[in-house]
Amino acid sequence: MGVVASLPPAALPGETPVRVDDAEDALSTLVTLVGADLEACNRAIIARMDSPVALIPQLAAHIVAAGGKRLRPLLTLAAARMCGYQGARHVHLAACVEFIHTATLLHDDVVDESLLRRGLASANAVFGNKASVLVGDFLFARSFQLMVEDGSLKVLDILSRAAATIAEGEVLQLVIQNDLSTSEDQYLDVIKGKTAALFAAACQVGAVVSDRPAEEEQALAEYGMNLGIAFQLVDDALDYAADQQTLGKTVGDDFREGKITLPVLTAFAAGDVAGQAFWRRTIEASEQTDADLDEAMRLIERHDGIAVTLARATEFAANAKRSLTVFADSPLRRCLAAVADFTVSRAR
Amino acid sequence: MGVVASLPPAALPGETPVRVDDAEDALSTLVTLVGADLEACNRAIIARMDSPVALIPQLAAHIVAAGGKRLRPLLTLAAARMCGYQGARHVHLAACVEFIHTATLLHDDVVDESLLRRGLASANAVFGNKASVLVGDFLFARSFQLMVEDGSLKVLDILSRAAATIAEGEVLQLVIQNDLSTSEDQYLDVIKGKTAALFAAACQVGAVVSDRPAEEEQALAEYGMNLGIAFQLVDDALDYAADQQTLGKTVGDDFREGKITLPVLTAFAAGDVAGQAFWRRTIEASEQTDADLDEAMRLIERHDGIAVTLARATEFAANAKRSLTVFADSPLRRCLAAVADFTVSRAR
């Protein structure tokens, strides 16, 4: 993994030729390949988060402009272009995807009582929980208004289902919180719901606007699902990684919240009596001291919790890449494959 | 107002004959007139709030089964039947309307930190804020899934717009909270958004499924909008009414939260120096003692705050009834008119 073949000189008509020398560049290559679309999407996001109630665009701008990678809308844009789509619908649907994502972030930060988001003060820390809940609701509703304007019941079906699945994943995460008897399958159900379902829908919508056969639509949904699982596994690994500077969130958030993630499940399963007692006290009983995060990281390191998690992520990234093989070779196909590699390599 | 002519013996084919002797009976008459539809709607609600994540139906059942009047879905059912609709789509769309309403209740109770809802412990009090936010999101998404199954982009347009308007109204309410310089127009904008928009949409959808001309669709939307404004005005009056037993919420909630409502604006505008100082301290500065609610009720009584609010509600109820005149006389039309009267008379 890691090194991806360089791209041929031409991408889309009118685009600058680009090269992908390694997976680290995959995201910026993706931005280059669909740059004009992304700019149009950003304009649509700004235009459509407006409201006569000034607090709504103010709060929305705080989170939308806070330097997110726009990964999910990029997937919609790239999937549509890879499918040969030449229209403009994908731009608005990518904005829908970002609105749904933003709404869930706003509600997540309230639910998690997070004070930071991407290294900056979270919206709830600045504007309060009440405004964050309500502006999340607004963005969610606005997303459906945009879909209605687009006019495709199939897209509405895909994204309304994804939205319900996200909420189910989040509730399941809440249910298993602090519960060390959670199985890896249950944990995977959580991350499929809370993260991967929207990745899958974002990609699938790209095939739908392009009117591609069911096989390609399914392949893009599977690419997104596997990519999303890999992405969340890596995110969960990074929460216990000592030297990560790039994440923009506080290391140890998951630990303090008693979240059940694969690094913890791995260390708990392999732990001795003292180790298991440590996890029962800190995660199950939520009794933590200042020194406990260091001990948690040490135990996870000793039992290869990060390595196990990243190995699982690598498997899902490989599945994601495999799903792309139904498409003809193209700069965008290679770039989406590189994005799957990058999703894992960003943690190394 | 108050007394409505008795209904002719027959309602809809197969329905029990009913009479409306006064406005007090309007809601139960409505339930009788569309009883089979309401039962079908209740079944749809129970069936579709299900999820493999058991906490979702548990929490949803807590609020859905907590004895709500089902006023909004009843409006959809009654509007469709008054328009001569003979199919089954209105049942599912009425469930959509109730899901949107339930989602907003769950989020409202989190935002307001309410411990009671309809006289029982609120969902957030029983299950926590986190679960309430997330199950609200689920019901909202599920509502859109149901609309997609129904397949009408027009219905999706009406209800997605209503959902965005509700959120705007709620955010505006948050913005003007504690602000005694709020105008009556701004206050009306809040209640149009947070309450009346869904009443309007619920009624309009009844005309849409019946494929009625734009004039009737508009008339039903206006009926719902005016009814919703009247309903919220009365609700805001009852929050300062000493002897209300039926409301199922704690008297003084609005006062404690510093909500700007017409009874307060009326008493503040008419107040002397001491009176205005009282409102500035209790509402603007949120400095309240245990005796302050009694004093607030006394000041509102002295300046006819309740009477003024109910008089405004009576005007809107009259507008609502006037909107119905485009429809031929029928038991349902008369019942919907009586519902408008009842909305006000429940406070007397």
Side-chain angles (χ1 to χ4, degrees):
Chain A
M1 296 192 57
V3 178
V4 174
S6 64
L7 293 170
L12 287 169
E15 296 284 350
T16 316
V18 286
R19 296 173 54 87
V20 182
D21 288 327
D22 61 56
E24 303 299 323
D25 286 329
L27 261 190
S28 46
T29 303
L30 191 57
V31 170
T32 309
L33 285 171
V34 296
D37 287 350
L38 183 60
E39 283 175 29
C41 176
N42 281 335
R43 284 193 298 273
I45 287 170
I46 301 295
R48 301 311 297 273
M49 72 191 193
D50 204 13
S51 162
V53 181
L55 179 58
I56 291 175
Q58 281 164 18
L59 191 151
H62 178 84
I63 184 159
V64 165
K69 297 178 292 297
R70 298 275 197 279
L71 180 52
R72 294 155 191 82
L74 275 169
L75 291 173
T76 302
L77 299 172
R81 290 298 195 187
M82 183 177 70
C83 288
Y85 181 65
Q86 296 295 325
R89 289 174 57 200
H90 66 322
V91 166
H92 298 280
L93 296 176
C96 290
V97 167
E98 186 69 357
F99 278 163
I100 292 176
H101 174 56
T102 307
T104 64
L105 291 187
L106 286 170
H107 288 184
D108 278 358
D109 283 344
V110 170
V111 165
D112 292 343
E113 295 156 15
S114 303
L115 299 177
L116 287 177
R117 161 71 57 193
R118 297 171 189 143
L120 301 172
S122 62
N124 47 308
V126 176
F127 298 94
N129 283 341
K130 300 178 184 193
S132 286
V133 169
L134 297 173
V135 174
D137 290 348
F138 174 81
L139 291 176
F140 198 57
R142 178 53 55 88
S143 162
F144 279 93
Q145 286 187 279
L146 282 170
M147 285 180 244
V148 170
E149 286 174 27
D150 174 71
S152 163
L153 281 166
K154 188 162 185 182
V155 167
L156 277 154
D157 180 40
I158 291 166
L159 285 173
S160 63
R161 190 185 307 260
T165 303
I166 293 169
E168 287 181 319
E170 301 263 11
V171 175
L172 186 58
Q173 174 171 265
L174 198 60
V175 169
I176 67 167
Q177 199 165 338
N178 309 108
D179 183 357
L180 288 164
S181 72
T182 301
S183 67
E184 186 178 327
D185 278 351
Q186 285 176 301
Y187 161 75
L188 282 174
D189 282 345
V190 168
I191 67 179
K192 281 177 196 168
K194 75 170 189 172
T195 305
L198 189 58
F199 276 68
C203 293
Q204 188 178 357
V205 163
V208 171
V209 293
S210 314
D211 222 3
R212 303 300 304 166
E215 185 197 7
E216 294 185 19
E217 199 185 304
Q218 196 50 41
L220 273 169
E222 280 169 20
Y223 168 79
M225 178 60 73
N226 283 285
L227 180 70
I229 296 170
F231 181 89
Q232 188 61 54
L233 282 162
V234 172
D235 214 53
D236 290 350
L238 288 175
D239 210 76
Y240 290 96
D243 58 346
Q244 53 94 7
Q245 304 288 328
T246 53
L247 197 63
K249 71 175 194 180
T250 321
V251 177
D253 276 350
D254 291 348
F255 180 69
R256 279 182 286 271
E257 289 159 21
K259 273 194 187 154
I260 299 299
T261 60
L262 193 52
V264 170
L265 290 178
T266 303
F268 177 71
D272 57 16
V273 171
Q276 294 209 338
F278 170 84
W279 294 112
R280 290 204 190 282
R281 171 175 61 80
T282 55
I283 298 287
E284 282 198 343
S286 299
E287 289 169 16
Q288 298 185 2
T289 67
D290 287 346
D292 284 337
L293 177 59
D294 282 344
E295 175 66 4
M297 289 164 74
R298 207 181 56 74
L299 288 173
I300 286 171
E301 178 67 27
R302 182 198 295 170
H303 298 297
D304 292 326
I306 304 263
V308 165
T309 304
L310 294 181
R312 295 288 281 136
T314 304
E315 289 169 30
F316 284 104
N319 291 344
K321 290 199 287 182
R322 204 172 301 119
S323 303
L324 294 174
T325 54
V326 303
F327 297 95
D329 185 35
S330 73
L332 273 168
R333 194 192 90 169
R334 271 178 267 169
C335 185
L336 287 174
V339 165
D341 287 331
F342 170 69
T343 293
V344 181
S345 65
R346 69 186 172 122
R348 296 188 193 277
Chain B
M1 297 192 55
V3 178
V4 174
S6 64
L7 293 170
L12 286 169
E15 297 283 351
T16 315
V18 287
R19 296 172 56 87
V20 182
D21 288 325
D22 61 56
E24 303 299 322
D25 286 330
L27 261 190
S28 47
T29 303
L30 191 58
V31 170
T32 309
L33 285 170
V34 296
D37 287 351
L38 183 60
E39 282 173 31
C41 176
N42 282 334
R43 285 193 298 273
I45 287 170
I46 301 296
R48 301 311 297 273
M49 72 191 193
D50 203 14
S51 162
V53 182
L55 179 57
I56 290 175
Q58 281 165 16
L59 191 151
H62 178 85
I63 183 158
V64 165
K69 297 177 292 296
R70 299 274 196 278
L71 180 52
R72 294 154 191 81
L74 274 168
L75 291 173
T76 302
L77 299 172
R81 290 299 194 185
M82 183 177 71
C83 289
Y85 182 65
Q86 296 296 324
R89 289 174 56 199
H90 66 321
V91 165
H92 299 279
L93 295 177
C96 291
V97 167
E98 186 69 357
F99 279 163
I100 292 176
H101 174 56
T102 307
T104 64
L105 291 187
L106 286 170
H107 288 184
D108 278 359
D109 283 344
V110 170
V111 165
D112 293 343
E113 294 155 18
S114 304
L115 299 177
L116 288 176
R117 161 71 58 191
R118 298 171 188 144
L120 301 172
S122 61
N124 48 308
V126 176
F127 298 94
N129 282 341
K130 300 179 184 194
S132 286
V133 169
L134 298 173
V135 174
D137 290 349
F138 174 81
L139 291 175
F140 198 56
R142 178 53 54 89
S143 160
F144 280 93
Q145 286 186 280
L146 283 171
M147 285 180 243
V148 170
E149 286 174 26
D150 173 72
S152 162
L153 280 166
K154 188 163 184 180
V155 167
L156 277 154
D157 180 40
I158 292 166
L159 285 172
S160 63
R161 191 185 306 261
T165 303
I166 293 168
E168 286 182 319
E170 301 265 10
V171 175
L172 186 59
Q173 174 171 264
L174 198 59
V175 169
I176 68 167
Q177 199 165 337
N178 308 110
D179 183 358
L180 288 164
S181 71
T182 301
S183 68
E184 185 178 327
D185 278 352
Q186 286 176 301
Y187 161 75
L188 283 173
D189 281 346
V190 168
I191 67 179
K192 281 178 195 167
K194 76 170 189 172
T195 304
L198 189 58
F199 277 68
C203 293
Q204 188 178 356
V205 162
V208 171
V209 292
S210 314
D211 222 3
R212 302 302 303 165
E215 184 197 9
E216 294 185 19
E217 198 186 306
Q218 195 51 41
L220 273 168
E222 280 169 21
Y223 168 79
M225 177 60 73
N226 282 285
L227 180 70
I229 296 171
F231 181 88
Q232 188 60 54
L233 281 162
V234 171
D235 215 50
D236 290 349
L238 288 175
D239 210 76
Y240 290 96
D243 58 346
Q244 53 95 6
Q245 304 288 327
T246 53
L247 198 63
K249 70 176 195 178
T250 321
V251 177
D253 276 350
D254 291 349
F255 180 69
R256 279 182 286 271
E257 289 159 21
K259 273 194 186 153
I260 299 299
T261 61
L262 193 53
V264 171
L265 289 178
T266 303
F268 177 72
D272 57 16
V273 172
Q276 294 209 339
F278 170 83
W279 294 112
R280 290 204 190 284
R281 171 174 63 80
T282 54
I283 298 288
E284 283 198 343
S286 298
E287 289 168 16
Q288 298 186 3
T289 67
D290 287 348
D292 284 337
L293 177 60
D294 282 344
E295 174 66 4
M297 289 165 71
R298 207 181 57 74
L299 288 174
I300 285 171
E301 178 67 28
R302 181 199 295 172
H303 298 297
D304 292 326
I306 303 264
V308 165
T309 303
L310 293 181
R312 295 287 283 133
T314 304
E315 289 169 30
F316 284 103
N319 291 344
K321 290 198 289 182
R322 205 171 301 121
S323 304
L324 295 174
T325 53
V326 303
F327 296 96
D329 185 35
S330 74
L332 273 168
R333 193 190 90 168
R334 270 177 271 169
C335 185
L336 287 175
V339 166
D341 287 332
F342 169 69
T343 293
V344 181
S345 65
R346 70 187 172 121
R348 296 187 194 278

